[in-house]
Amino acid sequence: MAQFTPEHLATVDLELWPAVACVSAPGPLIDVRTRHAEAKFATACHKAGLQLSGEDPDIEVLHGELFVRLAERGWVGLAESYFAGEWESPRLVSVLSALVASGYAPQSRPLAGRRQSRQADLGAELPPELIGLYSGDGVSAFGGVFASGVRTTERVSIPSFVRGAGRGNEPKAHFVDVTEVSAPGPVDRADLSDAQQRAATALLELARIEQGSDVLEYPSSGGAVALAATHVGAMVDILSADAVHLDAVGEYVTINGAAHLARPHLLRNAVPAREEWGARYDAILSVEKLETMGQHTRKLCVRAFDRMLAADGFLSMQTVVATPAFTRTAQQAIDVFREYVWPNLEYPRMEDLHRLFDRETGLRITAETHFGAHYQETLRLQREIFEGRLREAAAAGFDPVFRRLWVFRFALLEALFRLGCLDAVQLRATARARPGRR
């Protein structure tokens, strides 16, 4: 269909943001689809209890191109219209929560580029200057664990997905220590750095890292987790295929006096083969990378973990997972992340992770700590910090479309955690070849 650039989009960079800068030109077919999309959106808002008019509307529609985008690209169109400044909301998280909860699922044409790449896709990291605009410590983009929150642990029997489970020496099920961390008390921006540090410390404890431990952080998460490991006297190798990211990590550990203990290494390949990196470690740390890989690369990555982990070592990982409440509408909503941030994003379920380790490695998950309410608060604080630094973001070269994209990204993730569609978990895995090892 013919595309054109409305007057209000004249300043949008067409090369950087082609789908935001242009919309379909009016015509009989698109006009019918647009009217249908507008009516469906109004119905969905009414069902969700959202006001589109009055003195304090939940959603203020500034340009009718919103409905053209909804007709063609569904939830991605809704997001792109927000990037374009075609609608506003003083309660963006609540609006997105209500739309997802109501089951709003606008029809749209299939999105281009949705097939997952079979290339290892771990090379590109978020720009350090972007993370610095919302991080508690300037380098950490991951979720934190706040000081308040009660921990309760239960030993749960989990079915084995190992081939042949229940026959021979392979048990049909195994026990996992599952810990739930209750919601934190009131927190503010000053608490974010400590919460992220507490999450890093918890990962070290899961991996049983101590003085003299040989530790790998892969892929790198910015330096804070590796630095925490050096504080207990561990030697840490940090791997990444992103040279810019690794330079920033090297500078961070050097400034913090840990260059002799934390050593960044640039990979040629996002998932290193044995020929490129053959070392083995007492512990491996990995923070919020697995969900962005796609299924193919995820398998390659856990196999690499298995190869690089010593026989009596521990893998400690933090990741975001989908829950049973993760609906078709939630799946459609996160299409925008695949379009603009992580092309192969897919939130696994905990069952998927158990199956992944059981089927693809000699490792087994033996402990889980769930802290979704803390992650939700992390996202809220990160969003508020970023919104308070929009001028700094502009000065750093992030244009208005990108700034609105990142606000929307925080808000949608926060909404999905609020609804219980997503959860955050830290897990420990170790070799299953040693019966009774916990």
Side-chain angles (χ1 to χ4, degrees), residues 204-431:
L204 305 188
E205 292 173 351
L206 273 175
R208 300 181 182 175
I209 294 172
E210 58 189 9
Q211 185 170 0
S213 295
D214 286 323
V215 177
L216 171 68
E217 189 197 6
Y218 168 72
S220 169
S221 62
V225 174
L227 185 65
T230 68
H231 289 164
V232 298
M235 297 288 293
V236 187
D237 284 330
I238 308 166
L239 304 186
S240 175
D242 187 318
V244 173
H245 170 85
L246 211 60
D247 284 345
V249 171
E251 180 179 352
Y252 177 75
V253 297
T254 298
I255 289 173
N256 285 277
H260 61 299
L261 293 174
R263 302 156 301 205
H265 303 274
L266 182 64
L267 297 173
R268 296 190 306 273
N269 302 294
V271 180
R274 186 185 303 273
E275 296 73 23
E276 181 177 6
W277 201 261
R280 292 171 70 84
Y281 297 90
D282 301 318
I284 298 177
L285 304 171
S286 187
V287 185
E288 296 185 23
K289 302 296 183 182
L290 206 67
E291 59 268 46
T292 67
M293 294 179 185
Q295 293 184 14
H296 174 68
T297 307
R298 196 176 292 167
K299 291 179 181 179
L300 296 179
C301 188
V302 297
R303 291 170 189 165
F305 288 153
D306 191 12
R307 173 176 57 79
M308 294 187 288
L309 188 65
D312 57 352
F314 295 94
L315 166 69
S316 179
M317 175 183 295
Q318 178 167 310
T319 190
V320 174
V321 295
T323 72
F326 193 83
T327 61
R328 176 172 173 266
T329 299
Q331 187 69 256
Q332 290 185 2
I334 65 169
D335 278 346
V336 65
F337 298 154
R338 300 188 183 100
E339 284 284 294
Y340 286 96
V341 188
W342 302 288
N344 287 336
L345 176 71
E346 181 180 312
Y347 294 114
R349 300 168 301 166
M350 276 308 307
E351 180 180 310
D352 298 328
L353 294 182
H354 283 282
R355 180 182 288 107
L356 177 69
F357 279 93
D358 281 0
R359 292 285 178 87
E360 302 296 330
T361 77
L363 305 177
R364 166 156 286 158
I365 295 173
T366 60
E368 308 168 13
T369 300
H370 297 259
F371 59 105
H374 293 251
Y375 203 103
Q376 179 184 330
E377 286 297 285
T378 297
L379 289 165
R380 177 181 66 81
L381 295 175
Q382 289 176 330
R383 174 176 53 82
E384 291 178 355
I385 290 170
F386 185 75
E387 289 176 333
R389 294 177 176 171
L390 291 179
R391 288 187 178 182
E392 294 176 47
F398 298 107
D399 69 10
V401 173
F402 188 94
R403 299 196 298 269
R404 293 177 69 87
L405 159 63
W406 221 244
V407 170
F408 191 92
R409 177 243 180 200
F410 284 128
L412 180 54
L413 279 174
E414 188 180 342
L416 293 174
F417 271 91
R418 179 186 292 185
L419 294 171
C421 297
L422 296 178
D423 190 13
V425 62
Q426 291 187 345
L427 59 86
R428 179 175 66 216
T430 191

Side-chain angles (χ1 to χ4, degrees), residues 57-79:
D58 296 296
I59 300 173
E60 183 179 4
V61 179
L62 304 176
H63 297 279
E65 282 76 12
L66 162 63
F67 306 113
V68 180
R69 298 182 193 273
L70 284 174
E72 295 208 309
R73 289 168 66 80
W75 268 93
V76 172
L78 177 70

